[in-house]
Each structure stands twice: as C-alpha cells, then as structure tokens.
Amino acid sequence: HAPDELRRNEQELLELFARCKKESFDDRNVFERQWLRNIYYTLGRQWLEYHVREGQWRDKRLAKWVPKPVTNKCKEVVEAIRAVFTSIKIGVNVRPNGQDPKDVAAASTADEMAPSLHEEHDMNWVMSESDWWMLVTGNALIHTFWDYDPKYGVVKVAMEQCAACGALTSSDKLMGAQRICPECKVPSQFTPASDPTTGEPLMRTIPQGRGTTLSLSPLEVAFPNSYARFDDLPYIIRLRWRTKSYFEGHPELKKLVPTLAWTTSPTDRSLQIFRSMATQNDMGVAPIYWSDGSSTSGAEEGITEYELHYKACDQ
C-alpha cells in the first residue's frame, strides 16, 4: 500500500475505535458504582456511604469510639456457592460432524487433547476466578486466545529479500511451493538478506506465544449497554494496564517507548478500580488510592492498552 493509503486506513480505524469507546463507556459509572459496592461488601467493608459529589464510596463518618462490627454474610454466601461450583468438573466430548474420515480423525485428536489443553490453560484456576467475579459483580467473561507475550519465549527468523521489488520479508511469512511476496503479490525468488554494514544475516525476533485462557472481570471489558443480549453485540473492548517496563522488554513494542505519553494511573475509572483491588485491607477505604495522582507519584509508569474485537461487517 502507498503511505497515504496506510495513513487513511489507520485514521479510519482510529475513528472507529473512538466511536466504539464512546458508546461503551456511556453511563458506565452506574454499573461501576454497584460493582465496587459489592466488592467492598464481600471484602468486609460494609460501613460505607456513597458521596455523589465526589463520585466514590467512603467510610461513614462516625465518632472514633463507635465500633464497626461486620458479620460478613456476603462473603459466606459467595464462598458457599463457589464451593458448589468448584465441585463441578467441566469436560468435553468432541464428536465428528459427519462420517467424513477427516472429521472423524479431527474429533478423535481433539478429544484426546482436551485434558492436556485443560491443564495447559490452567482451567481449574480460571474457572475459580470466574466464579468469584460472576457471584460478586453479576458477570464474568472467559477469553481464550493465542498469547504472543514474550514471557513465553521468542524465536529468531531470517529475513529474505524479494528479487522483484526488493522488499524484506521474514521467512515465516513465505510458505508453500510458490513463495509469493507480500508487497508485490506475485511469485518471486527470494535471497537471504544481510546487514549492509556488517554483512551479517538479518534476523527478526518474534514471540513464540502459547494458547491462553483468562477470566476477565466486568471491570476489564466494555461494550455498549444498548443491546439486550450479548450475542447481538457488534464488538467488545478489553482494557489492560501495561507498564513501561513491559514495552521496554518487548522485541517489537520497545520502539514505541519514546512516542507514548506515560502516566502513573489509568484514566479509565474501571481500570483504576481494578488496580486498587491490590491495595484493599482492613484499614478503611479513605484515602482512595486511585482517586488522584498524589499518592501514586512513586508508582511505575504505564499506559492503558485497548483491544477492540469487532465482528465481521461490510466496513
């Protein structure tokens, strides 16, 4: 593609994301308020009141000598139901969709691999975490994907140069008997590429990746509330906080470090609440550690990462 066309496509994607984000975060604070209240109650913080002006939960103002006993019925009920869910062992029976030998072989292989995949994806822990979010907040999502995080290892692949247009392409993208150049879109001859200054072969470092399943809380996902059923959603947005050190250690993202605006706290309230869960204890909820930047001046810098998963459409 020409540079102008690339910029136009990127601009269209950014405009699409901006519209989706605006729709997904519209009136979201109504739900965040209830989620946070339920979380506090389950963690034993029940002497609370909501300040509309400040938009947050705070400890009730009582005299210091007034005791604040809590018989945590919320936690008891949550743990009781979780125990029932934990006793249910989820499994699969893969069967062929027809009598074709390929279908039968594929189903047999998948059925044999299911226990190994269950263990590799750590599904027992994933489902236990999902049960907690579902019972406390009323919703949870299971996200299965191929994770290209460098922590799972990286591999180096050689770069090859197209004889027709001179474009450089990694060897992992040149498959098949007829090797087609991704740039000029025609079958071509490729030769190993080398560094013009040192003469050493050019290599590209790519993450190896692995299959991963995560339990996502409603604080980590966003979607428009105008749809009555989840199947009708055209898209969903996943929110995640990435530290600066993650970008610095990533083989491909490290080049973006000088261009990004780093902060010490997310700007989205959902991620602020989610990150604050690590600071919860029995000392009360004031001050709110995620309410401003004054208490996080020494925190590690990072940035919010958004993943927009959009269903296939004409656009």
Side-chain angles (χ1 to χ4, degrees), residues 93-113:
N93 292 319
V94 185
R95 298 180 180 179
N97 186 18
Q99 299 301 320
D100 188 285
K102 294 181 179 180
D103 294 341
V104 176
S108 177
T109 302
D111 200 41
E112 293 177 359
M113 292 180 61

Side-chain angles (χ1 to χ4, degrees), residues 303-314:
I303 198 170
T304 304
E305 178 186 273
Y306 301 91
E307 291 182 13
L308 174 61
H309 297 260
Y310 208 106
K311 290 182 179 179
C313 62
D314 293 339

Side-chain angles (χ1 to χ4, degrees), residues 229-299:
R229 292 171 178 80
F230 195 82
D231 289 342
D232 297 333
L233 286 176
Y235 61 86
I236 186 172
I237 299 176
R238 180 189 174 187
L239 298 80
R240 179 162 44 184
W241 177 255
R242 291 292 199 187
T243 61
K244 186 177 181 180
S245 60
Y246 171 82
F247 278 77
E248 293 173 339
H250 197 283
E252 296 186 359
L253 298 179
K254 58 184 179 182
K255 60 185 179 183
L256 300 177
V257 172
T259 65
L260 298 176
W262 305 99
T263 61
T264 56
S265 178
T267 56
D268 291 301
R269 184 179 174 87
S270 289
L271 274 187
Q272 292 174 349
I273 297 173
F274 183 75
R275 292 192 69 208
S276 72
M277 295 297 99
T279 65
Q280 300 309 308
N281 50 50
D282 57 357
M283 300 299 293
V285 299
I288 301 296
Y289 296 104
W290 45 265
S291 60
D292 53 43
S294 59
S295 59
T296 59
S297 57

Side-chain angles (χ1 to χ4, degrees), residues 147-190:
D147 191 356
Y148 286 101
D149 196 304
K151 68 183 179 182
Y152 298 122
V154 296
V155 294
K156 291 187 176 182
V157 295
M159 300 294 293
E160 300 189 36
Q161 189 171 23
C162 175
C165 65
L168 295 178
T169 307
S170 56
S171 57
D172 61 309
K173 297 183 179 180
L174 302 174
M175 301 296 180
Q178 279 193 334
R179 310 176 81 186
I180 300 177
C181 177
E183 294 294 330
C184 56
K185 308 296 181 182
V186 296
S188 178
Q189 297 294 327
F190 290 86

